[in-house]
Amino acid sequence: MVDRIVIVGTGHAGVQAAASLREEGFEGKLSLVGDDDDLPYHKPPLSKAFLKDSEPRPQVLRAEAFYEGAGVDLRLGRRVEAIDRPGRRLVFADGTALDFDGLVLATGSRPRPLPLAGANLDGVLSLRSLADARVLRTRMADAGDVVVIGGGFIGLEVAATLAAGGRRVTVIEAQDRVLGRVVAAPISAHVARRLAESGVTILTGVGVARIEGRDGRVEAVETTEGRRIPARLVLVGIGALANTELAGAAGLDIANGIRVDAGMHTSVPEILAIGDAARFRHEGSGAEVRLESVQNATDQAKLAARSLTGHHETYRAVPWFWSDIGDMKLQMAGLTTGSDRVAMAGKPEDHRFSLFHFRDGRLAAVESVNRPADHMLARRMLAEGFSPPPEAVGDDLKAMFQNWQAARGAS
Ligand code: FAD
């Protein structure tokens, strides 16, 4: 049993780990340290409501009183520079240190930088933190022409919001479809079509050659095809990199993320890693993954707290994710990795449909557009291990699932 736990990172994972440690009965010293200056907040609204609301207010993860009440020594605006493993302490830039005998790395991820001249011009932004969102809000006010580099979730969410607010928005995506790394092709096609209908110009299979500016301020983006697109504001959303430097310098096993076992332990047993920064083996597919979602951050934090309080459990949470792009609610449950058969419920023409992915004949994942009931059912089916036959997709799966549950309960 450990007496002094330090958590690095005040995002979704770090804050949940602190709360869960107390819920699990941990009574020792508990510090939560992060380099963000703001009271920990929800990140998803930063690319959604925060940009739309006339008076945006950050949504805090926990009220300020929580930290004091739970005996959590919250240290904001503090960057950890190094882990002194033999000394079991964290070192800060000013030379001060913080002792631990259990350490949780919840260091998250950061926007992948655009390796191009012009990427540092004024008006070229990325979006990760509340501070970034405040800048984006200010700059979008007088930006008529906007270019979004990268057709991922964050880029498309912002593109839809800005287009709805009357800006001319162009999305430049290097792959042949938007959301190419994260959803199946029919969903990409639907999202692209819908965004185009709402006035967003989408260029796929096109790169960015350079970003042009005048007097240090962005003016235009030139594509690899030589097209010049005027831009007062450029949002770069080309993915995220795990913050692994701290762990790597301390000799922990790193591979696009901090490698952890099923109990969230890194290659050094007294150090755990969770959330966007952690890479783990997903039970269902066998694939090693690093997931960037609130669900994963929250559930791994809960499991880490169990591990640190003496339990030996395996991370089995069903991954799920959502994104709101214009009038589309995208929801994913499970992982499509290795999917070998897909069946559709609903119709894209109705603007409501779901794709059910099967792997070796068993349900692996469900991706939905504006069909929240399918998503909720999918999460329950995946969690309980029920798989409908692919041919049954489109029938009453809920009734089928309930019959299966009843039969299982009776046996
Ligand atoms: P983070 O939230 O990134 O927190 C890590 C913290 O650690 C950061 O504050 C970082 O600065 C800090 N840190 C790193 N290194 C150090 C150090 N050396 N010293 C001190 N502090 C350090 N997910 C969804 O499921 N649905 C969504 O709709 C969705 N929308 C999103 C929209 C936006 C704009 C963003 C940015 C993310 C969104 N996500 C969404 C993803 C989700 O927010 C992340 O998966 C989640 O925040 C991960 O939590 P985390 O605690 O692992 O990392």
Side-chain angles (χ1 to χ4, degrees), residues 8-13 34-36 43-44 47-48 78-80 106-109 127-128 154 243 246 275-276 292-294 297 321-322:
V8 183
T10 56
H12 289 265
D35 57 5
D36 199 315
K43 285 205 164 74
S47 51
K48 307 176 181 74
R78 298 277 280 155
R79 185 166 181 78
V80 177
T107 48
S109 58
L127 178 56
R128 180 76 204 171
I154 291 178
N243 290 324
L246 200 59
D276 278 19
E292 294 169 9
S293 71
V294 168
F321 186 84
W322 80 97

PDB file of all heavy atoms in Angstrom, residues 8-13 34-36 43-44 47-48 78-80 106-109 127-128 154 243 246 275-276 292-294 297 321-322, ligand 1:
ATOM      1  N   VAL A   8       0.107  13.410 -12.294  1.00  0.00           N
ATOM      2  CA  VAL A   8       0.560  14.494 -13.173  1.00  0.00           C
ATOM      3  C   VAL A   8      -0.448  14.656 -14.308  1.00  0.00           C
ATOM      4  O   VAL A   8      -0.693  13.702 -15.063  1.00  0.00           O
ATOM      5  CB  VAL A   8       1.961  14.220 -13.766  1.00  0.00           C
ATOM      6  CG1 VAL A   8       2.417  15.416 -14.606  1.00  0.00           C
ATOM      7  CG2 VAL A   8       2.963  13.937 -12.669  1.00  0.00           C
ATOM      8  N   GLY A   9      -1.016  15.854 -14.427  1.00  0.00           N
ATOM      9  CA  GLY A   9      -2.008  16.128 -15.467  1.00  0.00           C
ATOM     10  C   GLY A   9      -3.359  16.391 -14.829  1.00  0.00           C
ATOM     11  O   GLY A   9      -3.869  15.546 -14.083  1.00  0.00           O
ATOM     12  N   THR A  10      -3.925  17.556 -15.119  1.00  0.00           N
ATOM     13  CA  THR A  10      -5.208  17.928 -14.511  1.00  0.00           C
ATOM     14  C   THR A  10      -6.352  17.863 -15.528  1.00  0.00           C
ATOM     15  O   THR A  10      -7.288  18.649 -15.479  1.00  0.00           O
ATOM     16  CB  THR A  10      -5.126  19.351 -13.900  1.00  0.00           C
ATOM     17  OG1 THR A  10      -4.717  20.263 -14.950  1.00  0.00           O
ATOM     18  CG2 THR A  10      -4.136  19.413 -12.771  1.00  0.00           C
ATOM     19  N   GLY A  11      -6.245  16.932 -16.490  1.00  0.00           N
ATOM     20  CA  GLY A  11      -7.320  16.729 -17.457  1.00  0.00           C
ATOM     21  C   GLY A  11      -8.345  15.738 -16.910  1.00  0.00           C
ATOM     22  O   GLY A  11      -8.401  15.459 -15.709  1.00  0.00           O
ATOM     23  N   HIS A  12      -9.153  15.191 -17.827  1.00  0.00           N
ATOM     24  CA  HIS A  12     -10.216  14.257 -17.427  1.00  0.00           C
ATOM     25  C   HIS A  12      -9.658  13.081 -16.632  1.00  0.00           C
ATOM     26  O   HIS A  12     -10.230  12.667 -15.635  1.00  0.00           O
ATOM     27  CB  HIS A  12     -10.929  13.734 -18.676  1.00  0.00           C
ATOM     28  CG  HIS A  12     -11.773  14.761 -19.349  1.00  0.00           C
ATOM     29  ND1 HIS A  12     -13.121  14.893 -19.116  1.00  0.00           N
ATOM     30  CD2 HIS A  12     -11.465  15.731 -20.236  1.00  0.00           C
ATOM     31  CE1 HIS A  12     -13.615  15.881 -19.838  1.00  0.00           C
ATOM     32  NE2 HIS A  12     -12.619  16.409 -20.530  1.00  0.00           N
ATOM     33  N   ALA A  13      -8.534  12.545 -17.086  1.00  0.00           N
ATOM     34  CA  ALA A  13      -7.987  11.345 -16.435  1.00  0.00           C
ATOM     35  C   ALA A  13      -7.449  11.675 -15.050  1.00  0.00           C
ATOM     36  O   ALA A  13      -7.749  10.974 -14.070  1.00  0.00           O
ATOM     37  CB  ALA A  13      -6.886  10.739 -17.313  1.00  0.00           C
ATOM     38  N   GLY A  34      -0.543  19.980 -12.528  1.00  0.00           N
ATOM     39  CA  GLY A  34      -0.634  20.135 -13.982  1.00  0.00           C
ATOM     40  C   GLY A  34      -0.147  21.490 -14.430  1.00  0.00           C
ATOM     41  O   GLY A  34      -0.126  22.455 -13.647  1.00  0.00           O
ATOM     42  N   ASP A  35       0.206  21.565 -15.704  1.00  0.00           N
ATOM     43  CA  ASP A  35       0.734  22.834 -16.205  1.00  0.00           C
ATOM     44  C   ASP A  35      -0.358  23.776 -16.702  1.00  0.00           C
ATOM     45  O   ASP A  35      -0.093  24.913 -17.050  1.00  0.00           O
ATOM     46  CB  ASP A  35       1.795  22.596 -17.299  1.00  0.00           C
ATOM     47  CG  ASP A  35       1.265  21.772 -18.454  1.00  0.00           C
ATOM     48  OD1 ASP A  35       0.062  21.458 -18.477  1.00  0.00           O
ATOM     49  OD2 ASP A  35       2.068  21.428 -19.343  1.00  0.00           O
ATOM     50  N   ASP A  36      -1.605  23.306 -16.758  1.00  0.00           N
ATOM     51  CA  ASP A  36      -2.708  24.176 -17.167  1.00  0.00           C
ATOM     52  C   ASP A  36      -3.041  25.115 -15.998  1.00  0.00           C
ATOM     53  O   ASP A  36      -3.068  24.679 -14.846  1.00  0.00           O
ATOM     54  CB  ASP A  36      -3.925  23.306 -17.529  1.00  0.00           C
ATOM     55  CG  ASP A  36      -4.922  24.052 -18.388  1.00  0.00           C
ATOM     56  OD1 ASP A  36      -5.224  25.224 -18.072  1.00  0.00           O
ATOM     57  OD2 ASP A  36      -5.417  23.470 -19.371  1.00  0.00           O
ATOM     58  N   LYS A  43     -13.106  19.140 -21.801  1.00  0.00           N
ATOM     59  CA  LYS A  43     -12.534  19.562 -23.084  1.00  0.00           C
ATOM     60  C   LYS A  43     -13.527  19.494 -24.257  1.00  0.00           C
ATOM     61  O   LYS A  43     -13.491  20.364 -25.130  1.00  0.00           O
ATOM     62  CB  LYS A  43     -11.295  18.725 -23.408  1.00  0.00           C
ATOM     63  CG  LYS A  43     -10.091  19.139 -22.568  1.00  0.00           C
ATOM     64  CD  LYS A  43      -8.780  18.802 -23.254  1.00  0.00           C
ATOM     65  CE  LYS A  43      -7.625  19.544 -22.607  1.00  0.00           C
ATOM     66  NZ  LYS A  43      -7.232  19.012 -21.303  1.00  0.00           N
ATOM     67  N   PRO A  44     -14.410  18.479 -24.343  1.00  0.00           N
ATOM     68  CA  PRO A  44     -15.279  18.405 -25.529  1.00  0.00           C
ATOM     69  C   PRO A  44     -16.039  19.693 -25.858  1.00  0.00           C
ATOM     70  O   PRO A  44     -16.124  20.066 -27.033  1.00  0.00           O
ATOM     71  CB  PRO A  44     -16.213  17.230 -25.211  1.00  0.00           C
ATOM     72  CG  PRO A  44     -15.354  16.331 -24.387  1.00  0.00           C
ATOM     73  CD  PRO A  44     -14.538  17.269 -23.509  1.00  0.00           C
ATOM     74  N   SER A  47     -14.743  22.685 -28.544  1.00  0.00           N
ATOM     75  CA  SER A  47     -14.935  22.762 -30.002  1.00  0.00           C
ATOM     76  C   SER A  47     -16.422  22.771 -30.348  1.00  0.00           C
ATOM     77  O   SER A  47     -16.794  22.657 -31.508  1.00  0.00           O
ATOM     78  CB  SER A  47     -14.247  21.568 -30.678  1.00  0.00           C
ATOM     79  OG  SER A  47     -14.642  20.353 -30.065  1.00  0.00           O
ATOM     80  N   LYS A  48     -17.274  22.874 -29.322  1.00  0.00           N
ATOM     81  CA  LYS A  48     -18.728  22.810 -29.547  1.00  0.00           C
ATOM     82  C   LYS A  48     -19.382  24.034 -28.900  1.00  0.00           C
ATOM     83  O   LYS A  48     -19.233  25.139 -29.418  1.00  0.00           O
ATOM     84  CB  LYS A  48     -19.269  21.496 -28.963  1.00  0.00           C
ATOM     85  CG  LYS A  48     -18.524  20.256 -29.486  1.00  0.00           C
ATOM     86  CD  LYS A  48     -19.005  18.971 -28.843  1.00  0.00           C
ATOM     87  CE  LYS A  48     -18.261  17.743 -29.346  1.00  0.00           C
ATOM     88  NZ  LYS A  48     -16.897  17.601 -28.842  1.00  0.00           N
ATOM     89  N   ARG A  78       1.742  24.267 -12.991  1.00  0.00           N
ATOM     90  CA  ARG A  78       3.051  23.738 -12.580  1.00  0.00           C
ATOM     91  C   ARG A  78       3.461  22.621 -13.528  1.00  0.00           C
ATOM     92  O   ARG A  78       2.815  21.569 -13.604  1.00  0.00           O
ATOM     93  CB  ARG A  78       2.975  23.166 -11.162  1.00  0.00           C
ATOM     94  CG  ARG A  78       2.616  24.193 -10.127  1.00  0.00           C
ATOM     95  CD  ARG A  78       3.819  24.976  -9.681  1.00  0.00           C
ATOM     96  NE  ARG A  78       4.620  24.264  -8.699  1.00  0.00           N
ATOM     97  CZ  ARG A  78       5.914  24.455  -8.491  1.00  0.00           C
ATOM     98  NH1 ARG A  78       6.573  25.299  -9.239  1.00  0.00           N
ATOM     99  NH2 ARG A  78       6.557  23.785  -7.561  1.00  0.00           N
ATOM    100  N   ARG A  79       4.525  22.836 -14.261  1.00  0.00           N
ATOM    101  CA  ARG A  79       5.001  21.812 -15.192  1.00  0.00           C
ATOM    102  C   ARG A  79       6.043  20.930 -14.524  1.00  0.00           C
ATOM    103  O   ARG A  79       7.001  21.428 -13.942  1.00  0.00           O
ATOM    104  CB  ARG A  79       5.613  22.502 -16.427  1.00  0.00           C
ATOM    105  CG  ARG A  79       6.001  21.537 -17.467  1.00  0.00           C
ATOM    106  CD  ARG A  79       6.298  22.111 -18.825  1.00  0.00           C
ATOM    107  NE  ARG A  79       6.630  20.994 -19.697  1.00  0.00           N
ATOM    108  CZ  ARG A  79       5.748  20.181 -20.232  1.00  0.00           C
ATOM    109  NH1 ARG A  79       4.460  20.379 -20.028  1.00  0.00           N
ATOM    110  NH2 ARG A  79       6.126  19.163 -20.984  1.00  0.00           N
ATOM    111  N   VAL A  80       5.834  19.636 -14.610  1.00  0.00           N
ATOM    112  CA  VAL A  80       6.819  18.693 -14.064  1.00  0.00           C
ATOM    113  C   VAL A  80       7.911  18.512 -15.109  1.00  0.00           C
ATOM    114  O   VAL A  80       7.628  18.173 -16.258  1.00  0.00           O
ATOM    115  CB  VAL A  80       6.156  17.336 -13.734  1.00  0.00           C
ATOM    116  CG1 VAL A  80       7.195  16.344 -13.243  1.00  0.00           C
ATOM    117  CG2 VAL A  80       5.056  17.520 -12.703  1.00  0.00           C
ATOM    118  N   ALA A 106      -0.932  11.195 -16.140  1.00  0.00           N
ATOM    119  CA  ALA A 106      -2.146  11.485 -16.916  1.00  0.00           C
ATOM    120  C   ALA A 106      -1.833  12.716 -17.758  1.00  0.00           C
ATOM    121  O   ALA A 106      -2.518  13.734 -17.690  1.00  0.00           O
ATOM    122  CB  ALA A 106      -3.320  11.731 -15.972  1.00  0.00           C
ATOM    123  N   THR A 107      -0.770  12.594 -18.535  1.00  0.00           N
ATOM    124  CA  THR A 107      -0.204  13.763 -19.222  1.00  0.00           C
ATOM    125  C   THR A 107      -0.884  14.076 -20.557  1.00  0.00           C
ATOM    126  O   THR A 107      -0.529  15.065 -21.205  1.00  0.00           O
ATOM    127  CB  THR A 107       1.313  13.573 -19.440  1.00  0.00           C
ATOM    128  OG1 THR A 107       1.538  12.264 -19.999  1.00  0.00           O
ATOM    129  CG2 THR A 107       2.084  13.691 -18.135  1.00  0.00           C
ATOM    130  N   GLY A 108      -1.808  13.225 -20.989  1.00  0.00           N
ATOM    131  CA  GLY A 108      -2.630  13.557 -22.150  1.00  0.00           C
ATOM    132  C   GLY A 108      -1.876  13.627 -23.464  1.00  0.00           C
ATOM    133  O   GLY A 108      -0.853  12.959 -23.672  1.00  0.00           O
ATOM    134  N   SER A 109      -2.413  14.421 -24.360  1.00  0.00           N
ATOM    135  CA  SER A 109      -1.791  14.566 -25.677  1.00  0.00           C
ATOM    136  C   SER A 109      -1.843  16.035 -26.086  1.00  0.00           C
ATOM    137  O   SER A 109      -2.485  16.844 -25.430  1.00  0.00           O
ATOM    138  CB  SER A 109      -2.503  13.681 -26.697  1.00  0.00           C
ATOM    139  OG  SER A 109      -3.873  14.018 -26.770  1.00  0.00           O
ATOM    140  N   LEU A 127      -6.242  23.776 -31.244  1.00  0.00           N
ATOM    141  CA  LEU A 127      -7.231  23.775 -30.159  1.00  0.00           C
ATOM    142  C   LEU A 127      -7.041  22.569 -29.261  1.00  0.00           C
ATOM    143  O   LEU A 127      -7.276  21.433 -29.678  1.00  0.00           O
ATOM    144  CB  LEU A 127      -8.644  23.776 -30.767  1.00  0.00           C
ATOM    145  CG  LEU A 127      -9.817  23.736 -29.789  1.00  0.00           C
ATOM    146  CD1 LEU A 127      -9.770  24.867 -28.787  1.00  0.00           C
ATOM    147  CD2 LEU A 127     -11.146  23.761 -30.554  1.00  0.00           C
ATOM    148  N   ARG A 128      -6.613  22.831 -28.043  1.00  0.00           N
ATOM    149  CA  ARG A 128      -6.471  21.750 -27.076  1.00  0.00           C
ATOM    150  C   ARG A 128      -6.982  22.177 -25.698  1.00  0.00           C
ATOM    151  O   ARG A 128      -7.658  21.437 -25.023  1.00  0.00           O
ATOM    152  CB  ARG A 128      -4.986  21.344 -26.968  1.00  0.00           C
ATOM    153  CG  ARG A 128      -4.695  20.224 -25.997  1.00  0.00           C
ATOM    154  CD  ARG A 128      -5.090  18.876 -26.567  1.00  0.00           C
ATOM    155  NE  ARG A 128      -5.346  17.896 -25.531  1.00  0.00           N
ATOM    156  CZ  ARG A 128      -5.876  16.698 -25.746  1.00  0.00           C
ATOM    157  NH1 ARG A 128      -6.188  16.312 -26.959  1.00  0.00           N
ATOM    158  NH2 ARG A 128      -6.098  15.861 -24.759  1.00  0.00           N
ATOM    159  N   ILE A 154     -12.201  17.346 -34.449  1.00  0.00           N
ATOM    160  CA  ILE A 154     -12.137  18.715 -33.934  1.00  0.00           C
ATOM    161  C   ILE A 154     -12.244  19.712 -35.095  1.00  0.00           C
ATOM    162  O   ILE A 154     -13.008  20.678 -35.040  1.00  0.00           O
ATOM    163  CB  ILE A 154     -10.852  18.929 -33.111  1.00  0.00           C
ATOM    164  CG1 ILE A 154     -10.943  18.109 -31.820  1.00  0.00           C
ATOM    165  CG2 ILE A 154     -10.631  20.411 -32.790  1.00  0.00           C
ATOM    166  CD1 ILE A 154      -9.728  18.187 -30.928  1.00  0.00           C
ATOM    167  N   ASN A 243       1.729  12.866 -24.883  1.00  0.00           N
ATOM    168  CA  ASN A 243       2.780  13.520 -24.095  1.00  0.00           C
ATOM    169  C   ASN A 243       3.549  12.449 -23.310  1.00  0.00           C
ATOM    170  O   ASN A 243       3.192  12.106 -22.184  1.00  0.00           O
ATOM    171  CB  ASN A 243       2.166  14.547 -23.137  1.00  0.00           C
ATOM    172  CG  ASN A 243       1.614  15.745 -23.876  1.00  0.00           C
ATOM    173  OD1 ASN A 243       2.180  16.181 -24.879  1.00  0.00           O
ATOM    174  ND2 ASN A 243       0.500  16.282 -23.401  1.00  0.00           N
ATOM    175  N   LEU A 246       8.108  12.984 -20.537  1.00  0.00           N
ATOM    176  CA  LEU A 246       8.446  12.821 -19.117  1.00  0.00           C
ATOM    177  C   LEU A 246       8.716  11.346 -18.815  1.00  0.00           C
ATOM    178  O   LEU A 246       9.726  10.994 -18.193  1.00  0.00           O
ATOM    179  CB  LEU A 246       7.250  13.319 -18.291  1.00  0.00           C
ATOM    180  CG  LEU A 246       7.439  13.691 -16.850  1.00  0.00           C
ATOM    181  CD1 LEU A 246       8.455  14.799 -16.702  1.00  0.00           C
ATOM    182  CD2 LEU A 246       6.092  14.137 -16.273  1.00  0.00           C
ATOM    183  N   GLY A 275      -5.347   7.431 -19.739  1.00  0.00           N
ATOM    184  CA  GLY A 275      -5.903   8.465 -20.610  1.00  0.00           C
ATOM    185  C   GLY A 275      -5.224   8.533 -21.970  1.00  0.00           C
ATOM    186  O   GLY A 275      -4.661   7.545 -22.464  1.00  0.00           O
ATOM    187  N   ASP A 276      -5.260   9.709 -22.571  1.00  0.00           N
ATOM    188  CA  ASP A 276      -4.723   9.905 -23.921  1.00  0.00           C
ATOM    189  C   ASP A 276      -3.263   9.472 -24.039  1.00  0.00           C
ATOM    190  O   ASP A 276      -2.798   9.124 -25.126  1.00  0.00           O
ATOM    191  CB  ASP A 276      -4.780  11.396 -24.304  1.00  0.00           C
ATOM    192  CG  ASP A 276      -6.140  11.836 -24.810  1.00  0.00           C
ATOM    193  OD1 ASP A 276      -7.120  11.137 -24.545  1.00  0.00           O
ATOM    194  OD2 ASP A 276      -6.209  12.896 -25.466  1.00  0.00           O
ATOM    195  N   GLU A 292      -8.159   8.375 -27.579  1.00  0.00           N
ATOM    196  CA  GLU A 292      -8.325   9.769 -27.153  1.00  0.00           C
ATOM    197  C   GLU A 292      -9.804  10.022 -26.950  1.00  0.00           C
ATOM    198  O   GLU A 292     -10.513  10.434 -27.866  1.00  0.00           O
ATOM    199  CB  GLU A 292      -7.752  10.709 -28.216  1.00  0.00           C
ATOM    200  CG  GLU A 292      -6.244  10.570 -28.369  1.00  0.00           C
ATOM    201  CD  GLU A 292      -5.700  11.292 -29.590  1.00  0.00           C
ATOM    202  OE1 GLU A 292      -6.448  12.039 -30.247  1.00  0.00           O
ATOM    203  OE2 GLU A 292      -4.517  11.095 -29.896  1.00  0.00           O
ATOM    204  N   SER A 293     -10.293   9.721 -25.769  1.00  0.00           N
ATOM    205  CA  SER A 293     -11.713   9.951 -25.485  1.00  0.00           C
ATOM    206  C   SER A 293     -11.919  10.147 -23.993  1.00  0.00           C
ATOM    207  O   SER A 293     -11.134   9.661 -23.172  1.00  0.00           O
ATOM    208  CB  SER A 293     -12.555   8.762 -25.959  1.00  0.00           C
ATOM    209  OG  SER A 293     -12.338   7.650 -25.130  1.00  0.00           O
ATOM    210  N   VAL A 294     -12.987  10.848 -23.686  1.00  0.00           N
ATOM    211  CA  VAL A 294     -13.331  11.081 -22.285  1.00  0.00           C
ATOM    212  C   VAL A 294     -13.624   9.750 -21.591  1.00  0.00           C
ATOM    213  O   VAL A 294     -13.209   9.514 -20.453  1.00  0.00           O
ATOM    214  CB  VAL A 294     -14.548  12.036 -22.210  1.00  0.00           C
ATOM    215  CG1 VAL A 294     -15.125  12.072 -20.811  1.00  0.00           C
ATOM    216  CG2 VAL A 294     -14.142  13.426 -22.669  1.00  0.00           C
ATOM    217  N   ALA A 297     -10.345   8.013 -20.733  1.00  0.00           N
ATOM    218  CA  ALA A 297      -9.644   8.714 -19.655  1.00  0.00           C
ATOM    219  C   ALA A 297     -10.324   8.412 -18.312  1.00  0.00           C
ATOM    220  O   ALA A 297      -9.662   8.108 -17.312  1.00  0.00           O
ATOM    221  CB  ALA A 297      -9.637  10.214 -19.923  1.00  0.00           C
ATOM    222  N   PHE A 321     -17.320   6.922 -27.899  1.00  0.00           N
ATOM    223  CA  PHE A 321     -16.911   8.270 -28.261  1.00  0.00           C
ATOM    224  C   PHE A 321     -18.088   8.972 -28.921  1.00  0.00           C
ATOM    225  O   PHE A 321     -18.973   8.325 -29.472  1.00  0.00           O
ATOM    226  CB  PHE A 321     -15.745   8.169 -29.269  1.00  0.00           C
ATOM    227  CG  PHE A 321     -15.134   9.486 -29.633  1.00  0.00           C
ATOM    228  CD1 PHE A 321     -14.162  10.062 -28.834  1.00  0.00           C
ATOM    229  CD2 PHE A 321     -15.517  10.159 -30.789  1.00  0.00           C
ATOM    230  CE1 PHE A 321     -13.598  11.287 -29.159  1.00  0.00           C
ATOM    231  CE2 PHE A 321     -14.964  11.384 -31.124  1.00  0.00           C
ATOM    232  CZ  PHE A 321     -13.994  11.948 -30.305  1.00  0.00           C
ATOM    233  N   TRP A 322     -18.102  10.296 -28.854  1.00  0.00           N
ATOM    234  CA  TRP A 322     -19.122  11.029 -29.597  1.00  0.00           C
ATOM    235  C   TRP A 322     -18.501  12.281 -30.192  1.00  0.00           C
ATOM    236  O   TRP A 322     -17.439  12.734 -29.764  1.00  0.00           O
ATOM    237  CB  TRP A 322     -20.271  11.430 -28.677  1.00  0.00           C
ATOM    238  CG  TRP A 322     -19.981  12.651 -27.858  1.00  0.00           C
ATOM    239  CD1 TRP A 322     -20.353  13.927 -28.148  1.00  0.00           C
ATOM    240  CD2 TRP A 322     -19.228  12.728 -26.643  1.00  0.00           C
ATOM    241  NE1 TRP A 322     -19.883  14.792 -27.179  1.00  0.00           N
ATOM    242  CE2 TRP A 322     -19.187  14.090 -26.253  1.00  0.00           C
ATOM    243  CE3 TRP A 322     -18.586  11.782 -25.846  1.00  0.00           C
ATOM    244  CZ2 TRP A 322     -18.529  14.512 -25.111  1.00  0.00           C
ATOM    245  CZ3 TRP A 322     -17.916  12.210 -24.703  1.00  0.00           C
ATOM    246  CH2 TRP A 322     -17.902  13.564 -24.345  1.00  0.00           C
TER     247      TRP A 322
HETATM  248  P1  FAD B   1      -5.691  15.864 -21.163  1.00  0.00           P
HETATM  249  O1  FAD B   1      -7.115  16.289 -21.032  1.00  0.00           O
HETATM  250  O2  FAD B   1      -4.933  16.275 -22.359  1.00  0.00           O
HETATM  251  O3  FAD B   1      -4.927  16.356 -19.861  1.00  0.00           O
HETATM  252  C1  FAD B   1      -3.543  16.186 -19.696  1.00  0.00           C
HETATM  253  C2  FAD B   1      -2.983  17.361 -18.950  1.00  0.00           C
HETATM  254  O4  FAD B   1      -1.648  17.065 -18.532  1.00  0.00           O
HETATM  255  C3  FAD B   1      -2.890  18.601 -19.808  1.00  0.00           C
HETATM  256  O5  FAD B   1      -3.387  19.716 -19.111  1.00  0.00           O
HETATM  257  C4  FAD B   1      -1.391  18.726 -20.046  1.00  0.00           C
HETATM  258  O6  FAD B   1      -0.978  20.050 -20.306  1.00  0.00           O
HETATM  259  C5  FAD B   1      -0.847  18.199 -18.735  1.00  0.00           C
HETATM  260  N1  FAD B   1       0.571  17.844 -18.749  1.00  0.00           N
HETATM  261  C6  FAD B   1       1.242  17.159 -19.706  1.00  0.00           C
HETATM  262  N2  FAD B   1       2.558  17.047 -19.384  1.00  0.00           N
HETATM  263  C7  FAD B   1       2.727  17.678 -18.206  1.00  0.00           C
HETATM  264  C8  FAD B   1       3.856  17.913 -17.352  1.00  0.00           C
HETATM  265  N3  FAD B   1       5.075  17.473 -17.660  1.00  0.00           N
HETATM  266  N4  FAD B   1       3.676  18.607 -16.209  1.00  0.00           N
HETATM  267  C9  FAD B   1       2.438  19.061 -15.874  1.00  0.00           C
HETATM  268  N5  FAD B   1       1.332  18.872 -16.631  1.00  0.00           N
HETATM  269  C10 FAD B   1       1.470  18.179 -17.789  1.00  0.00           C
HETATM  270  N6  FAD B   1     -13.428  13.221 -26.412  1.00  0.00           N
HETATM  271  C11 FAD B   1     -14.660  12.655 -26.484  1.00  0.00           C
HETATM  272  O7  FAD B   1     -14.830  11.522 -25.994  1.00  0.00           O
HETATM  273  N7  FAD B   1     -15.699  13.306 -27.113  1.00  0.00           N
HETATM  274  C12 FAD B   1     -15.535  14.540 -27.653  1.00  0.00           C
HETATM  275  O8  FAD B   1     -16.483  15.096 -28.207  1.00  0.00           O
HETATM  276  C13 FAD B   1     -14.278  15.169 -27.554  1.00  0.00           C
HETATM  277  N8  FAD B   1     -14.091  16.425 -28.027  1.00  0.00           N
HETATM  278  C14 FAD B   1     -12.880  17.042 -27.839  1.00  0.00           C
HETATM  279  C15 FAD B   1     -12.720  18.373 -28.242  1.00  0.00           C
HETATM  280  C16 FAD B   1     -11.507  19.023 -28.042  1.00  0.00           C
HETATM  281  C17 FAD B   1     -11.358  20.444 -28.465  1.00  0.00           C
HETATM  282  C18 FAD B   1     -10.421  18.327 -27.448  1.00  0.00           C
HETATM  283  C19 FAD B   1      -9.107  19.025 -27.238  1.00  0.00           C
HETATM  284  C20 FAD B   1     -10.570  17.012 -27.061  1.00  0.00           C
HETATM  285  C21 FAD B   1     -11.799  16.359 -27.230  1.00  0.00           C
HETATM  286  N9  FAD B   1     -11.992  15.038 -26.833  1.00  0.00           N
HETATM  287  C22 FAD B   1     -13.220  14.462 -26.922  1.00  0.00           C
HETATM  288  C23 FAD B   1     -10.874  14.241 -26.302  1.00  0.00           C
HETATM  289  C24 FAD B   1     -10.832  14.279 -24.791  1.00  0.00           C
HETATM  290  O9  FAD B   1     -10.981  15.591 -24.327  1.00  0.00           O
HETATM  291  C25 FAD B   1      -9.510  13.677 -24.337  1.00  0.00           C
HETATM  292  O10 FAD B   1      -9.497  12.327 -24.713  1.00  0.00           O
HETATM  293  C26 FAD B   1      -9.326  13.811 -22.835  1.00  0.00           C
HETATM  294  O11 FAD B   1      -9.202  15.175 -22.488  1.00  0.00           O
HETATM  295  C27 FAD B   1      -8.108  13.051 -22.361  1.00  0.00           C
HETATM  296  O12 FAD B   1      -7.905  13.301 -21.014  1.00  0.00           O
HETATM  297  P2  FAD B   1      -6.463  13.197 -20.367  1.00  0.00           P
HETATM  298  O13 FAD B   1      -6.646  13.580 -18.942  1.00  0.00           O
HETATM  299  O14 FAD B   1      -5.854  11.898 -20.711  1.00  0.00           O
HETATM  300  O15 FAD B   1      -5.574  14.295 -21.120  1.00  0.00           O
END
